[in-house]
Amino acid sequence: MEKKKNLNAAPEEEMTVTLSLDDGSEVECIVLTIFEAGENDYIALLPMEGAESEEGEVFLYRYQEDKDGNPILDNIEGDDEYEIVADAFDELLDEAEYDEIVGEEDEE
């Protein structure tokens, strides 16, 4: 799906990635998280504009860094791998929601 990615971030801003799609278009995404699933690291991206953004669609990619620390994103190739990654991401969301609820109760 993508060919080249650029991570841009200032300390006080959200980290973003620009995905270059197969059709030549680009999509600017917010980096939600980088997480481990199975034996690999993955990145969850939320498009900032367009139909995907309005629907809350999240893009998941395999994540690595080259020897200079630059990010490398790869497509998730198989359904089995995607299921593992999607389940791990859903679990992260559930934990974050739980932590938010528990944190709110602690503040009361």
Side-chain angles (χ1 to χ4, degrees):
M1 178 174 197
E2 79 293 338
K3 296 182 180 172
K4 186 177 182 182
K5 292 87 191 166
N6 299 314
L7 289 181
N8 307 307
E12 66 279 353
E13 296 178 11
E14 295 176 320
M15 191 177 331
T16 62
V17 173
T18 302
L19 297 177
S20 299
L21 304 179
D22 289 339
D23 66 4
S25 64
E26 292 188 343
V27 177
E28 187 83 12
C29 299
I30 296 170
V31 176
L32 297 177
T33 187
I34 297 171
F35 61 100
E36 187 175 326
E39 298 178 10
N40 296 304
D41 289 333
Y42 296 88
I43 189 168
L45 306 172
L46 179 66
M48 296 173 71
E49 296 178 359
E52 295 90 352
S53 173
E54 293 170 13
E55 295 172 13
E57 185 173 337
V58 174
F59 297 151
L60 300 172
Y61 291 95
R62 200 176 302 136
Y63 177 86
Q64 300 176 52
E65 292 182 358
D66 67 15
K67 61 180 170 60
D68 297 324
N70 297 313
I72 301 170
L73 277 64
D74 290 315
N75 288 326
I76 297 170
E77 297 298 330
D79 291 340
D80 291 341
E81 180 183 9
Y82 183 82
E83 287 298 320
I84 291 168
V85 175
D87 288 346
F89 181 68
D90 287 342
E91 192 173 309
L92 281 174
L93 290 179
D94 290 345
E95 288 174 10
E97 188 174 292
Y98 174 79
D99 290 345
E100 187 175 303
I101 291 169
V102 170
E104 288 174 2
E105 289 176 359
D106 290 344
E107 291 175 8
E108 294 175 5

